[in-house]
Amino acid sequence: MSETTPSQRVSRLLLTGAAGGLGKVLRERLRPYADILRLSDIASLAPAAGPHEEVVPCDLSDKKAVDALVAGCDAIVHLGGVSVERPFEEILEGNIKGVFHIYEAARRHGVKRVVFASSNHVIGFYKQTEHLDAHALRRPDGYYGLSKSFGEDVAQFYFDRWGIETVSIRIGSSFPEPANRRMMSTWLSYDDLTSLIEKSLFTPDVKHTIVYGASANKDVWWDNSAAAHLGYAPKDTSEVFRAKVEAQPPVAPTDPNAIYQGGGFTAQGPFE
Ligand SMILES: NC(=O)c1ccc[n+]([C@@H]2O[C@H](COP(=O)([O-])OP(=O)(O)OC[C@H]3O[C@@H](n4cnc5c(N)ncnc54)[C@H](O)[C@@H]3O)[C@@H](O)[C@H]2O)c1
């Protein structure tokens, strides 16, 4: 990660989903980029607020609470919400209402930059043999993917109508290491994620940019040329884990994990 300079700081940065897997990682890593990092989640946050931090618990489905949450912030890294495939009613609350509330509050409080944690599941029904750029028609692979697709549309609308800029990061699989063969293509290291969020926060004039969040993996399916202005240059690669991953039992060619970019998400549900 590059050294921070005063031009790469905001006064108050909001991080939603701060109690989650990526939220915990980014809580540590985003601190240099803000005078105050405002941490929020519906789940309790530990440890309590440290220096240059404040904790504001919030349910994203509560419009008034989100309005108060966003007040006073200069930029938002929006990770909060349901992060797996779930019944529609759960997705509706955390993700669909949640993202709408975030942008409405951003509009009311004059926030000009959002980094939205979108997902590869907006294009999950493409085959793993296909290569995509940001202009590919979305093919969400479930209610979760639909909600991220909606979030990207909300981001575009709030740019066109209100000039609020967003980078929607279609995160692949951001974990300490790739857990399976599919993730050899989709893996995003925490260092590369941090670098991508830094670029997403501070690159001027991003309008609404869609970028695929993957490391420099050999078998990557995604082309980020439409987001070249971000200057994102991943440094890590899943190749270093190949022997470990390929020691796993083979995946049947008929398994969705071997067919679709969204893997097993394409085969979940129905829930009732
Ligand atoms: N980790 C990945 O590889 C990956 C891949 C694609 C997209 N993403 C997206 O990145 C973001 C972070 O992912 P993660 O892996 O840390 O997920 P996570 O589930 O660990 O974290 C999400 C957080 O959102 C909070 N949340 C859920 N509903 C909420 C609500 N109604 N109000 C407030 N907070 C709520 C949860 O309590 C949780 O702490 C998510 O938006 C996820 O969809 C992650």
PDB file of all heavy atoms in Angstrom, residues 16-23 40-43 58-61 78-84 93-95 117-121 144 148 169-175, ligand 1:
ATOM      1  N   THR A  16     -19.335   1.075   6.914  1.00  0.00           N
ATOM      2  CA  THR A  16     -20.453   0.220   7.348  1.00  0.00           C
ATOM      3  C   THR A  16     -20.011  -1.240   7.262  1.00  0.00           C
ATOM      4  O   THR A  16     -19.048  -1.574   6.568  1.00  0.00           O
ATOM      5  CB  THR A  16     -21.711   0.437   6.476  1.00  0.00           C
ATOM      6  OG1 THR A  16     -21.462  -0.074   5.162  1.00  0.00           O
ATOM      7  CG2 THR A  16     -22.103   1.911   6.403  1.00  0.00           C
ATOM      8  N   GLY A  17     -20.720  -2.092   7.994  1.00  0.00           N
ATOM      9  CA  GLY A  17     -20.326  -3.505   8.021  1.00  0.00           C
ATOM     10  C   GLY A  17     -19.010  -3.715   8.747  1.00  0.00           C
ATOM     11  O   GLY A  17     -18.295  -4.689   8.508  1.00  0.00           O
ATOM     12  N   ALA A  18     -18.712  -2.811   9.662  1.00  0.00           N
ATOM     13  CA  ALA A  18     -17.375  -2.794  10.291  1.00  0.00           C
ATOM     14  C   ALA A  18     -17.121  -3.996  11.195  1.00  0.00           C
ATOM     15  O   ALA A  18     -15.963  -4.299  11.504  1.00  0.00           O
ATOM     16  CB  ALA A  18     -17.188  -1.495  11.071  1.00  0.00           C
ATOM     17  N   ALA A  19     -18.193  -4.703  11.611  1.00  0.00           N
ATOM     18  CA  ALA A  19     -17.989  -5.885  12.462  1.00  0.00           C
ATOM     19  C   ALA A  19     -17.793  -7.153  11.632  1.00  0.00           C
ATOM     20  O   ALA A  19     -17.532  -8.226  12.181  1.00  0.00           O
ATOM     21  CB  ALA A  19     -19.192  -6.069  13.396  1.00  0.00           C
ATOM     22  N   GLY A  20     -17.922  -7.050  10.316  1.00  0.00           N
ATOM     23  CA  GLY A  20     -17.838  -8.217   9.455  1.00  0.00           C
ATOM     24  C   GLY A  20     -16.408  -8.616   9.124  1.00  0.00           C
ATOM     25  O   GLY A  20     -15.441  -7.983   9.572  1.00  0.00           O
ATOM     26  N   GLY A  21     -16.309  -9.660   8.307  1.00  0.00           N
ATOM     27  CA  GLY A  21     -14.983 -10.188   7.952  1.00  0.00           C
ATOM     28  C   GLY A  21     -14.096  -9.123   7.331  1.00  0.00           C
ATOM     29  O   GLY A  21     -12.973  -8.876   7.799  1.00  0.00           O
ATOM     30  N   LEU A  22     -14.580  -8.469   6.298  1.00  0.00           N
ATOM     31  CA  LEU A  22     -13.765  -7.437   5.644  1.00  0.00           C
ATOM     32  C   LEU A  22     -13.735  -6.156   6.471  1.00  0.00           C
ATOM     33  O   LEU A  22     -12.746  -5.417   6.448  1.00  0.00           O
ATOM     34  CB  LEU A  22     -14.289  -7.150   4.232  1.00  0.00           C
ATOM     35  CG  LEU A  22     -14.219  -8.327   3.265  1.00  0.00           C
ATOM     36  CD1 LEU A  22     -14.644  -7.889   1.864  1.00  0.00           C
ATOM     37  CD2 LEU A  22     -12.825  -8.939   3.232  1.00  0.00           C
ATOM     38  N   GLY A  23     -14.827  -5.879   7.184  1.00  0.00           N
ATOM     39  CA  GLY A  23     -14.869  -4.685   8.017  1.00  0.00           C
ATOM     40  C   GLY A  23     -13.749  -4.682   9.046  1.00  0.00           C
ATOM     41  O   GLY A  23     -13.084  -3.660   9.265  1.00  0.00           O
ATOM     42  N   SER A  40     -19.554   1.364  11.852  1.00  0.00           N
ATOM     43  CA  SER A  40     -20.954   1.043  12.113  1.00  0.00           C
ATOM     44  C   SER A  40     -21.275  -0.386  11.729  1.00  0.00           C
ATOM     45  O   SER A  40     -20.701  -0.938  10.776  1.00  0.00           O
ATOM     46  CB  SER A  40     -21.860   2.000  11.328  1.00  0.00           C
ATOM     47  OG  SER A  40     -23.212   1.741  11.644  1.00  0.00           O
ATOM     48  N   ASP A  41     -22.200  -0.965  12.462  1.00  0.00           N
ATOM     49  CA  ASP A  41     -22.718  -2.301  12.148  1.00  0.00           C
ATOM     50  C   ASP A  41     -23.986  -2.513  12.977  1.00  0.00           C
ATOM     51  O   ASP A  41     -24.214  -1.801  13.961  1.00  0.00           O
ATOM     52  CB  ASP A  41     -21.683  -3.394  12.497  1.00  0.00           C
ATOM     53  CG  ASP A  41     -21.848  -4.644  11.633  1.00  0.00           C
ATOM     54  OD1 ASP A  41     -22.863  -5.362  11.807  1.00  0.00           O
ATOM     55  OD2 ASP A  41     -20.977  -4.911  10.781  1.00  0.00           O
ATOM     56  N   ILE A  42     -24.769  -3.508  12.585  1.00  0.00           N
ATOM     57  CA  ILE A  42     -25.910  -3.914  13.407  1.00  0.00           C
ATOM     58  C   ILE A  42     -25.412  -4.835  14.530  1.00  0.00           C
ATOM     59  O   ILE A  42     -26.013  -4.934  15.592  1.00  0.00           O
ATOM     60  CB  ILE A  42     -26.977  -4.616  12.531  1.00  0.00           C
ATOM     61  CG1 ILE A  42     -28.323  -4.696  13.233  1.00  0.00           C
ATOM     62  CG2 ILE A  42     -26.514  -5.986  12.072  1.00  0.00           C
ATOM     63  CD1 ILE A  42     -29.450  -5.179  12.316  1.00  0.00           C
ATOM     64  N   ALA A  43     -24.313  -5.516  14.263  1.00  0.00           N
ATOM     65  CA  ALA A  43     -23.695  -6.399  15.261  1.00  0.00           C
ATOM     66  C   ALA A  43     -22.763  -5.574  16.140  1.00  0.00           C
ATOM     67  O   ALA A  43     -22.289  -4.510  15.736  1.00  0.00           O
ATOM     68  CB  ALA A  43     -22.905  -7.495  14.557  1.00  0.00           C
ATOM     69  N   CYS A  58     -25.969   0.800  14.001  1.00  0.00           N
ATOM     70  CA  CYS A  58     -27.075   1.196  13.114  1.00  0.00           C
ATOM     71  C   CYS A  58     -27.593  -0.012  12.352  1.00  0.00           C
ATOM     72  O   CYS A  58     -26.809  -0.839  11.881  1.00  0.00           O
ATOM     73  CB  CYS A  58     -26.557   2.247  12.121  1.00  0.00           C
ATOM     74  SG  CYS A  58     -27.785   2.815  10.948  1.00  0.00           S
ATOM     75  N   ASP A  59     -28.914  -0.076  12.225  1.00  0.00           N
ATOM     76  CA  ASP A  59     -29.537  -1.053  11.328  1.00  0.00           C
ATOM     77  C   ASP A  59     -29.786  -0.338  10.003  1.00  0.00           C
ATOM     78  O   ASP A  59     -30.521   0.660   9.955  1.00  0.00           O
ATOM     79  CB  ASP A  59     -30.859  -1.532  11.956  1.00  0.00           C
ATOM     80  CG  ASP A  59     -31.576  -2.542  11.077  1.00  0.00           C
ATOM     81  OD1 ASP A  59     -31.208  -2.706   9.888  1.00  0.00           O
ATOM     82  OD2 ASP A  59     -32.529  -3.169  11.588  1.00  0.00           O
ATOM     83  N   LEU A  60     -29.191  -0.831   8.953  1.00  0.00           N
ATOM     84  CA  LEU A  60     -29.282  -0.153   7.649  1.00  0.00           C
ATOM     85  C   LEU A  60     -30.704  -0.074   7.117  1.00  0.00           C
ATOM     86  O   LEU A  60     -30.995   0.749   6.245  1.00  0.00           O
ATOM     87  CB  LEU A  60     -28.389  -0.877   6.629  1.00  0.00           C
ATOM     88  CG  LEU A  60     -26.886  -0.739   6.871  1.00  0.00           C
ATOM     89  CD1 LEU A  60     -26.124  -1.821   6.116  1.00  0.00           C
ATOM     90  CD2 LEU A  60     -26.403   0.647   6.447  1.00  0.00           C
ATOM     91  N   SER A  61     -31.600  -0.906   7.636  1.00  0.00           N
ATOM     92  CA  SER A  61     -32.988  -0.858   7.161  1.00  0.00           C
ATOM     93  C   SER A  61     -33.783   0.275   7.816  1.00  0.00           C
ATOM     94  O   SER A  61     -34.921   0.531   7.453  1.00  0.00           O
ATOM     95  CB  SER A  61     -33.686  -2.200   7.410  1.00  0.00           C
ATOM     96  OG  SER A  61     -33.875  -2.392   8.788  1.00  0.00           O
ATOM     97  N   HIS A  78     -19.112   1.384   1.907  1.00  0.00           N
ATOM     98  CA  HIS A  78     -20.344   0.688   2.294  1.00  0.00           C
ATOM     99  C   HIS A  78     -20.198  -0.825   2.112  1.00  0.00           C
ATOM    100  O   HIS A  78     -20.371  -1.353   1.011  1.00  0.00           O
ATOM    101  CB  HIS A  78     -21.510   1.221   1.459  1.00  0.00           C
ATOM    102  CG  HIS A  78     -22.822   0.589   1.814  1.00  0.00           C
ATOM    103  ND1 HIS A  78     -23.229   0.388   3.112  1.00  0.00           N
ATOM    104  CD2 HIS A  78     -23.831   0.088   1.039  1.00  0.00           C
ATOM    105  CE1 HIS A  78     -24.423  -0.195   3.125  1.00  0.00           C
ATOM    106  NE2 HIS A  78     -24.794  -0.392   1.883  1.00  0.00           N
ATOM    107  N   LEU A  79     -19.901  -1.488   3.219  1.00  0.00           N
ATOM    108  CA  LEU A  79     -19.755  -2.948   3.219  1.00  0.00           C
ATOM    109  C   LEU A  79     -20.948  -3.632   3.872  1.00  0.00           C
ATOM    110  O   LEU A  79     -21.107  -4.848   3.761  1.00  0.00           O
ATOM    111  CB  LEU A  79     -18.515  -3.378   4.030  1.00  0.00           C
ATOM    112  CG  LEU A  79     -17.149  -2.803   3.717  1.00  0.00           C
ATOM    113  CD1 LEU A  79     -16.116  -3.438   4.659  1.00  0.00           C
ATOM    114  CD2 LEU A  79     -16.766  -3.085   2.288  1.00  0.00           C
ATOM    115  N   GLY A  80     -21.755  -2.889   4.601  1.00  0.00           N
ATOM    116  CA  GLY A  80     -22.790  -3.496   5.448  1.00  0.00           C
ATOM    117  C   GLY A  80     -23.891  -4.157   4.646  1.00  0.00           C
ATOM    118  O   GLY A  80     -24.232  -3.715   3.550  1.00  0.00           O
ATOM    119  N   GLY A  81     -24.453  -5.204   5.213  1.00  0.00           N
ATOM    120  CA  GLY A  81     -25.571  -5.900   4.582  1.00  0.00           C
ATOM    121  C   GLY A  81     -25.369  -7.400   4.650  1.00  0.00           C
ATOM    122  O   GLY A  81     -24.362  -7.885   5.170  1.00  0.00           O
ATOM    123  N   VAL A  82     -26.350  -8.101   4.124  1.00  0.00           N
ATOM    124  CA  VAL A  82     -26.280  -9.561   4.079  1.00  0.00           C
ATOM    125  C   VAL A  82     -25.287  -9.940   2.982  1.00  0.00           C
ATOM    126  O   VAL A  82     -25.385  -9.436   1.861  1.00  0.00           O
ATOM    127  CB  VAL A  82     -27.681 -10.136   3.780  1.00  0.00           C
ATOM    128  CG1 VAL A  82     -27.640 -11.646   3.680  1.00  0.00           C
ATOM    129  CG2 VAL A  82     -28.678  -9.665   4.843  1.00  0.00           C
ATOM    130  N   SER A  83     -24.341 -10.813   3.298  1.00  0.00           N
ATOM    131  CA  SER A  83     -23.235 -11.049   2.356  1.00  0.00           C
ATOM    132  C   SER A  83     -23.283 -12.426   1.709  1.00  0.00           C
ATOM    133  O   SER A  83     -22.314 -12.829   1.053  1.00  0.00           O
ATOM    134  CB  SER A  83     -21.904 -10.858   3.071  1.00  0.00           C
ATOM    135  OG  SER A  83     -21.779 -11.820   4.099  1.00  0.00           O
ATOM    136  N   VAL A  84     -24.377 -13.137   1.907  1.00  0.00           N
ATOM    137  CA  VAL A  84     -24.531 -14.470   1.299  1.00  0.00           C
ATOM    138  C   VAL A  84     -25.954 -14.586   0.771  1.00  0.00           C
ATOM    139  O   VAL A  84     -26.781 -13.712   1.007  1.00  0.00           O
ATOM    140  CB  VAL A  84     -24.258 -15.590   2.326  1.00  0.00           C
ATOM    141  CG1 VAL A  84     -22.783 -15.659   2.685  1.00  0.00           C
ATOM    142  CG2 VAL A  84     -25.109 -15.404   3.577  1.00  0.00           C
ATOM    143  N   GLU A  93     -34.219  -6.052   3.478  1.00  0.00           N
ATOM    144  CA  GLU A  93     -33.968  -5.135   4.595  1.00  0.00           C
ATOM    145  C   GLU A  93     -32.531  -4.604   4.578  1.00  0.00           C
ATOM    146  O   GLU A  93     -32.294  -3.400   4.540  1.00  0.00           O
ATOM    147  CB  GLU A  93     -34.244  -5.844   5.938  1.00  0.00           C
ATOM    148  CG  GLU A  93     -35.694  -6.248   6.131  1.00  0.00           C
ATOM    149  CD  GLU A  93     -36.670  -5.082   6.044  1.00  0.00           C
ATOM    150  OE1 GLU A  93     -36.376  -4.009   6.594  1.00  0.00           O
ATOM    151  OE2 GLU A  93     -37.730  -5.251   5.414  1.00  0.00           O
ATOM    152  N   GLY A  94     -31.580  -5.523   4.642  1.00  0.00           N
ATOM    153  CA  GLY A  94     -30.183  -5.096   4.815  1.00  0.00           C
ATOM    154  C   GLY A  94     -29.579  -4.489   3.564  1.00  0.00           C
ATOM    155  O   GLY A  94     -28.795  -3.541   3.635  1.00  0.00           O
ATOM    156  N   ASN A  95     -29.942  -5.042   2.408  1.00  0.00           N
ATOM    157  CA  ASN A  95     -29.210  -4.677   1.188  1.00  0.00           C
ATOM    158  C   ASN A  95     -29.975  -3.686   0.317  1.00  0.00           C
ATOM    159  O   ASN A  95     -29.397  -2.699  -0.151  1.00  0.00           O
ATOM    160  CB  ASN A  95     -28.906  -5.930   0.370  1.00  0.00           C
ATOM    161  CG  ASN A  95     -27.976  -6.883   1.092  1.00  0.00           C
ATOM    162  OD1 ASN A  95     -27.859  -6.838   2.315  1.00  0.00           O
ATOM    163  ND2 ASN A  95     -27.315  -7.748   0.358  1.00  0.00           N
ATOM    164  N   ALA A 117     -19.449  -1.981  -1.864  1.00  0.00           N
ATOM    165  CA  ALA A 117     -19.024  -3.388  -1.954  1.00  0.00           C
ATOM    166  C   ALA A 117     -20.068  -4.146  -2.757  1.00  0.00           C
ATOM    167  O   ALA A 117     -21.020  -4.692  -2.211  1.00  0.00           O
ATOM    168  CB  ALA A 117     -18.863  -3.984  -0.561  1.00  0.00           C
ATOM    169  N   SER A 118     -19.884  -4.161  -4.075  1.00  0.00           N
ATOM    170  CA  SER A 118     -20.716  -4.999  -4.929  1.00  0.00           C
ATOM    171  C   SER A 118     -20.090  -6.397  -4.945  1.00  0.00           C
ATOM    172  O   SER A 118     -19.251  -6.721  -4.091  1.00  0.00           O
ATOM    173  CB  SER A 118     -20.818  -4.389  -6.326  1.00  0.00           C
ATOM    174  OG  SER A 118     -21.721  -5.139  -7.119  1.00  0.00           O
ATOM    175  N   SER A 119     -20.501  -7.195  -5.888  1.00  0.00           N
ATOM    176  CA  SER A 119     -20.088  -8.595  -5.819  1.00  0.00           C
ATOM    177  C   SER A 119     -20.000  -9.225  -7.201  1.00  0.00           C
ATOM    178  O   SER A 119     -20.739  -8.832  -8.125  1.00  0.00           O
ATOM    179  CB  SER A 119     -21.105  -9.369  -4.974  1.00  0.00           C
ATOM    180  OG  SER A 119     -20.888 -10.750  -5.103  1.00  0.00           O
ATOM    181  N   ASN A 120     -19.162 -10.240  -7.300  1.00  0.00           N
ATOM    182  CA  ASN A 120     -19.131 -11.062  -8.521  1.00  0.00           C
ATOM    183  C   ASN A 120     -20.488 -11.720  -8.769  1.00  0.00           C
ATOM    184  O   ASN A 120     -20.763 -12.150  -9.889  1.00  0.00           O
ATOM    185  CB  ASN A 120     -18.028 -12.113  -8.418  1.00  0.00           C
ATOM    186  CG  ASN A 120     -18.329 -13.173  -7.376  1.00  0.00           C
ATOM    187  OD1 ASN A 120     -18.962 -14.193  -7.666  1.00  0.00           O
ATOM    188  ND2 ASN A 120     -17.909 -12.944  -6.134  1.00  0.00           N
ATOM    189  N   HIS A 121     -21.347 -11.781  -7.745  1.00  0.00           N
ATOM    190  CA  HIS A 121     -22.637 -12.450  -7.936  1.00  0.00           C
ATOM    191  C   HIS A 121     -23.622 -11.616  -8.762  1.00  0.00           C
ATOM    192  O   HIS A 121     -24.703 -12.097  -9.066  1.00  0.00           O
ATOM    193  CB  HIS A 121     -23.206 -12.885  -6.584  1.00  0.00           C
ATOM    194  CG  HIS A 121     -22.347 -13.945  -5.961  1.00  0.00           C
ATOM    195  ND1 HIS A 121     -22.311 -15.243  -6.442  1.00  0.00           N
ATOM    196  CD2 HIS A 121     -21.426 -13.885  -4.965  1.00  0.00           C
ATOM    197  CE1 HIS A 121     -21.425 -15.943  -5.749  1.00  0.00           C
ATOM    198  NE2 HIS A 121     -20.872 -15.140  -4.844  1.00  0.00           N
ATOM    199  N   TYR A 144     -29.266 -12.234  -3.439  1.00  0.00           N
ATOM    200  CA  TYR A 144     -28.094 -11.453  -3.019  1.00  0.00           C
ATOM    201  C   TYR A 144     -27.491 -10.718  -4.231  1.00  0.00           C
ATOM    202  O   TYR A 144     -27.246  -9.502  -4.189  1.00  0.00           O
ATOM    203  CB  TYR A 144     -27.075 -12.395  -2.376  1.00  0.00           C
ATOM    204  CG  TYR A 144     -25.708 -11.816  -2.169  1.00  0.00           C
ATOM    205  CD1 TYR A 144     -25.471 -10.873  -1.179  1.00  0.00           C
ATOM    206  CD2 TYR A 144     -24.631 -12.222  -2.971  1.00  0.00           C
ATOM    207  CE1 TYR A 144     -24.196 -10.340  -0.995  1.00  0.00           C
ATOM    208  CE2 TYR A 144     -23.362 -11.697  -2.788  1.00  0.00           C
ATOM    209  CZ  TYR A 144     -23.157 -10.759  -1.808  1.00  0.00           C
ATOM    210  OH  TYR A 144     -21.902 -10.232  -1.633  1.00  0.00           O
ATOM    211  N   LYS A 148     -27.156  -6.570  -5.145  1.00  0.00           N
ATOM    212  CA  LYS A 148     -25.929  -5.851  -5.517  1.00  0.00           C
ATOM    213  C   LYS A 148     -26.107  -5.176  -6.877  1.00  0.00           C
ATOM    214  O   LYS A 148     -25.593  -4.079  -7.123  1.00  0.00           O
ATOM    215  CB  LYS A 148     -24.734  -6.809  -5.532  1.00  0.00           C
ATOM    216  CG  LYS A 148     -24.395  -7.401  -4.168  1.00  0.00           C
ATOM    217  CD  LYS A 148     -23.943  -6.336  -3.185  1.00  0.00           C
ATOM    218  CE  LYS A 148     -23.455  -6.941  -1.873  1.00  0.00           C
ATOM    219  NZ  LYS A 148     -23.017  -5.930  -0.909  1.00  0.00           N
ATOM    220  N   ILE A 169     -17.210  -1.914  -6.401  1.00  0.00           N
ATOM    221  CA  ILE A 169     -16.193  -2.963  -6.521  1.00  0.00           C
ATOM    222  C   ILE A 169     -16.902  -4.317  -6.522  1.00  0.00           C
ATOM    223  O   ILE A 169     -17.521  -4.702  -5.526  1.00  0.00           O
ATOM    224  CB  ILE A 169     -15.178  -2.911  -5.361  1.00  0.00           C
ATOM    225  CG1 ILE A 169     -14.552  -1.517  -5.250  1.00  0.00           C
ATOM    226  CG2 ILE A 169     -14.108  -3.985  -5.548  1.00  0.00           C
ATOM    227  CD1 ILE A 169     -13.565  -1.376  -4.071  1.00  0.00           C
ATOM    228  N   ARG A 170     -16.825  -5.004  -7.652  1.00  0.00           N
ATOM    229  CA  ARG A 170     -17.398  -6.355  -7.728  1.00  0.00           C
ATOM    230  C   ARG A 170     -16.389  -7.319  -7.108  1.00  0.00           C
ATOM    231  O   ARG A 170     -15.571  -7.945  -7.818  1.00  0.00           O
ATOM    232  CB  ARG A 170     -17.715  -6.733  -9.169  1.00  0.00           C
ATOM    233  CG  ARG A 170     -18.862  -5.919  -9.726  1.00  0.00           C
ATOM    234  CD  ARG A 170     -19.194  -6.323 -11.145  1.00  0.00           C
ATOM    235  NE  ARG A 170     -20.333  -5.563 -11.645  1.00  0.00           N
ATOM    236  CZ  ARG A 170     -20.741  -5.555 -12.900  1.00  0.00           C
ATOM    237  NH1 ARG A 170     -20.096  -6.262 -13.815  1.00  0.00           N
ATOM    238  NH2 ARG A 170     -21.796  -4.844 -13.256  1.00  0.00           N
ATOM    239  N   ILE A 171     -16.474  -7.410  -5.795  1.00  0.00           N
ATOM    240  CA  ILE A 171     -15.476  -8.199  -5.061  1.00  0.00           C
ATOM    241  C   ILE A 171     -15.609  -9.669  -5.467  1.00  0.00           C
ATOM    242  O   ILE A 171     -16.715 -10.208  -5.552  1.00  0.00           O
ATOM    243  CB  ILE A 171     -15.666  -8.033  -3.541  1.00  0.00           C
ATOM    244  CG1 ILE A 171     -15.538  -6.552  -3.140  1.00  0.00           C
ATOM    245  CG2 ILE A 171     -14.683  -8.899  -2.772  1.00  0.00           C
ATOM    246  CD1 ILE A 171     -15.907  -6.274  -1.683  1.00  0.00           C
ATOM    247  N   GLY A 172     -14.466 -10.280  -5.729  1.00  0.00           N
ATOM    248  CA  GLY A 172     -14.461 -11.709  -6.047  1.00  0.00           C
ATOM    249  C   GLY A 172     -14.570 -12.501  -4.755  1.00  0.00           C
ATOM    250  O   GLY A 172     -15.665 -12.687  -4.211  1.00  0.00           O
ATOM    251  N   SER A 173     -13.443 -12.954  -4.234  1.00  0.00           N
ATOM    252  CA  SER A 173     -13.419 -13.715  -2.975  1.00  0.00           C
ATOM    253  C   SER A 173     -12.276 -13.158  -2.136  1.00  0.00           C
ATOM    254  O   SER A 173     -11.108 -13.473  -2.397  1.00  0.00           O
ATOM    255  CB  SER A 173     -13.175 -15.198  -3.241  1.00  0.00           C
ATOM    256  OG  SER A 173     -14.098 -15.687  -4.193  1.00  0.00           O
ATOM    257  N   SER A 174     -12.622 -12.325  -1.169  1.00  0.00           N
ATOM    258  CA  SER A 174     -11.573 -11.674  -0.383  1.00  0.00           C
ATOM    259  C   SER A 174     -11.452 -12.342   0.977  1.00  0.00           C
ATOM    260  O   SER A 174     -12.226 -12.080   1.896  1.00  0.00           O
ATOM    261  CB  SER A 174     -11.848 -10.176  -0.254  1.00  0.00           C
ATOM    262  OG  SER A 174     -10.677  -9.518   0.185  1.00  0.00           O
ATOM    263  N   PHE A 175     -10.489 -13.233   1.036  1.00  0.00           N
ATOM    264  CA  PHE A 175     -10.210 -14.037   2.230  1.00  0.00           C
ATOM    265  C   PHE A 175      -8.694 -14.160   2.329  1.00  0.00           C
ATOM    266  O   PHE A 175      -7.980 -13.807   1.384  1.00  0.00           O
ATOM    267  CB  PHE A 175     -10.866 -15.426   2.082  1.00  0.00           C
ATOM    268  CG  PHE A 175     -12.369 -15.340   1.930  1.00  0.00           C
ATOM    269  CD1 PHE A 175     -12.966 -15.504   0.680  1.00  0.00           C
ATOM    270  CD2 PHE A 175     -13.188 -15.063   3.015  1.00  0.00           C
ATOM    271  CE1 PHE A 175     -14.348 -15.397   0.526  1.00  0.00           C
ATOM    272  CE2 PHE A 175     -14.572 -14.951   2.867  1.00  0.00           C
ATOM    273  CZ  PHE A 175     -15.145 -15.117   1.630  1.00  0.00           C
TER     274      PHE A 175
HETATM  275  N1  LIG B   1     -15.717 -11.283   1.420  1.00  0.00           N
HETATM  276  C1  LIG B   1     -15.897 -11.412   0.128  1.00  0.00           C
HETATM  277  O1  LIG B   1     -15.181 -12.145  -0.535  1.00  0.00           O
HETATM  278  C2  LIG B   1     -16.980 -10.631  -0.589  1.00  0.00           C
HETATM  279  C3  LIG B   1     -17.239 -10.937  -1.933  1.00  0.00           C
HETATM  280  C4  LIG B   1     -18.197 -10.179  -2.600  1.00  0.00           C
HETATM  281  C5  LIG B   1     -18.826  -9.131  -1.966  1.00  0.00           C
HETATM  282  N2  LIG B   1     -18.561  -8.886  -0.660  1.00  0.00           N
HETATM  283  C6  LIG B   1     -19.302  -7.813   0.001  1.00  0.00           C
HETATM  284  O2  LIG B   1     -18.422  -7.089   0.845  1.00  0.00           O
HETATM  285  C7  LIG B   1     -19.088  -6.701   2.024  1.00  0.00           C
HETATM  286  C8  LIG B   1     -18.343  -7.230   3.239  1.00  0.00           C
HETATM  287  O3  LIG B   1     -18.263  -8.625   3.133  1.00  0.00           O
HETATM  288  P1  LIG B   1     -17.874  -9.544   4.373  1.00  0.00           P
HETATM  289  O4  LIG B   1     -17.290 -10.775   3.817  1.00  0.00           O
HETATM  290  O5  LIG B   1     -17.119  -8.754   5.366  1.00  0.00           O
HETATM  291  O6  LIG B   1     -19.327  -9.903   4.926  1.00  0.00           O
HETATM  292  P2  LIG B   1     -19.808 -10.074   6.451  1.00  0.00           P
HETATM  293  O7  LIG B   1     -21.111 -10.794   6.405  1.00  0.00           O
HETATM  294  O8  LIG B   1     -18.730 -10.655   7.276  1.00  0.00           O
HETATM  295  O9  LIG B   1     -20.054  -8.564   6.910  1.00  0.00           O
HETATM  296  C9  LIG B   1     -21.228  -7.857   6.622  1.00  0.00           C
HETATM  297  C10 LIG B   1     -21.591  -7.046   7.853  1.00  0.00           C
HETATM  298  O10 LIG B   1     -22.814  -6.348   7.567  1.00  0.00           O
HETATM  299  C11 LIG B   1     -23.578  -6.342   8.762  1.00  0.00           C
HETATM  300  N3  LIG B   1     -25.004  -6.207   8.458  1.00  0.00           N
HETATM  301  C12 LIG B   1     -25.858  -7.126   7.949  1.00  0.00           C
HETATM  302  N4  LIG B   1     -27.106  -6.649   7.899  1.00  0.00           N
HETATM  303  C13 LIG B   1     -27.049  -5.392   8.399  1.00  0.00           C
HETATM  304  C14 LIG B   1     -28.013  -4.385   8.641  1.00  0.00           C
HETATM  305  N5  LIG B   1     -29.324  -4.574   8.346  1.00  0.00           N
HETATM  306  N6  LIG B   1     -27.611  -3.232   9.190  1.00  0.00           N
HETATM  307  C15 LIG B   1     -26.304  -3.018   9.491  1.00  0.00           C
HETATM  308  N7  LIG B   1     -25.332  -3.930   9.310  1.00  0.00           N
HETATM  309  C16 LIG B   1     -25.706  -5.102   8.760  1.00  0.00           C
HETATM  310  C17 LIG B   1     -23.294  -7.694   9.424  1.00  0.00           C
HETATM  311  O11 LIG B   1     -23.568  -7.648  10.809  1.00  0.00           O
HETATM  312  C18 LIG B   1     -21.840  -7.912   9.097  1.00  0.00           C
HETATM  313  O12 LIG B   1     -20.997  -7.495  10.150  1.00  0.00           O
HETATM  314  C19 LIG B   1     -20.516  -7.217   1.905  1.00  0.00           C
HETATM  315  O13 LIG B   1     -21.345  -6.204   1.389  1.00  0.00           O
HETATM  316  C20 LIG B   1     -20.394  -8.333   0.903  1.00  0.00           C
HETATM  317  O14 LIG B   1     -21.615  -8.548   0.212  1.00  0.00           O
HETATM  318  C21 LIG B   1     -17.658  -9.608   0.043  1.00  0.00           C
END
